[in-house]
Amino acid sequence: MKSPRHQPPQEPALKLSDQEWRARLTAAEYHVLRDAGTERPFSGEYETTTTPGVYRCRACGAELFRSTEKFDAHCGWPAFWSPLAKDRIIELVDDSLGMRRTEVRCANCGSHLGHVFEGEGFDTPTDLRYCINSISLTLEPGDAPA
């Protein structure tokens, strides 16, 4: 059964050819952002970062998450309890790996960011854990807007 959070497929605003994406991204970035790969746990640059700021999509620069919604989930990847705004991401059913998960993609360019999990009992306002690959993000340091 589909969760009410899942959205119908939508066309991203930024459309590039495979060749253009490969020219724009490193091989590791392309693997995660365009092939829906995953970086190794506890290896990403933002996993334990506490720097204030806004996290952007590494592929297109769209603002996605704020540091004020980041929390330490001890899961090996940066975790957020909410995106910057619901229209910044797309949530899709992911039945790969023999389990049902919710994939998170950038709404602007369609790049894979990670997955969102619910009901894990974290003491956050939403009880959601947006588990995002560091390599999918860039951090713009500064005061995160309210």
Side-chain angles (χ1 to χ4, degrees):
M1 186 165 128
K2 259 171 62 168
S3 164
R5 284 197 344 265
H6 294 132
Q7 301 151 330
Q10 71 185 59
E11 288 294 315
L14 177 63
K15 295 181 192 177
L16 298 177
S17 70
D18 186 58
Q19 184 177 2
E20 289 170 313
W21 282 120
R22 287 184 187 280
R24 180 182 275 214
L25 303 170
T26 68
E29 291 168 347
Y30 185 92
H31 171 67
V32 173
L33 289 157
R34 304 309 302 170
D35 285 338
T38 302
E39 65 190 353
R40 287 180 295 109
F42 304 102
S43 68
E45 67 181 306
Y46 301 127
E47 194 255 327
T48 59
T49 298
T50 58
T51 303
V54 175
Y55 289 87
R56 295 177 174 272
C57 175
R58 189 174 300 248
C60 72
E63 294 182 357
L64 300 172
F65 298 94
R66 294 182 182 137
S67 60
T68 52
E69 281 74 39
K70 187 174 186 286
F71 70 102
D72 190 356
H74 306 286
C75 64
W77 295 273
F80 303 86
W81 51 266
S82 179
L84 185 68
K86 284 304 244 180
D87 65 348
R88 305 295 175 100
I89 60 164
I90 300 167
E91 295 181 1
L92 303 169
V93 173
D94 176 2
D95 287 326
S96 66
L97 303 178
M99 66 182 102
R100 176 154 286 191
R101 300 179 294 171
T102 302
E103 180 186 9
V104 179
R105 291 184 173 254
C106 173
N108 188 56
C109 70
S111 290
H112 173 77
L113 303 170
H115 290 85
V116 61
F117 303 94
E118 62 184 321
E120 296 178 317
F122 286 106
D123 187 21
T124 60
T126 62
D127 197 22
L128 297 174
R129 175 174 57 98
Y130 287 85
C131 185
I132 307 298
N133 292 285
S134 285
I135 202 166
S136 297
L137 303 170
T138 57
L139 173 59
E140 181 180 310
D143 293 334

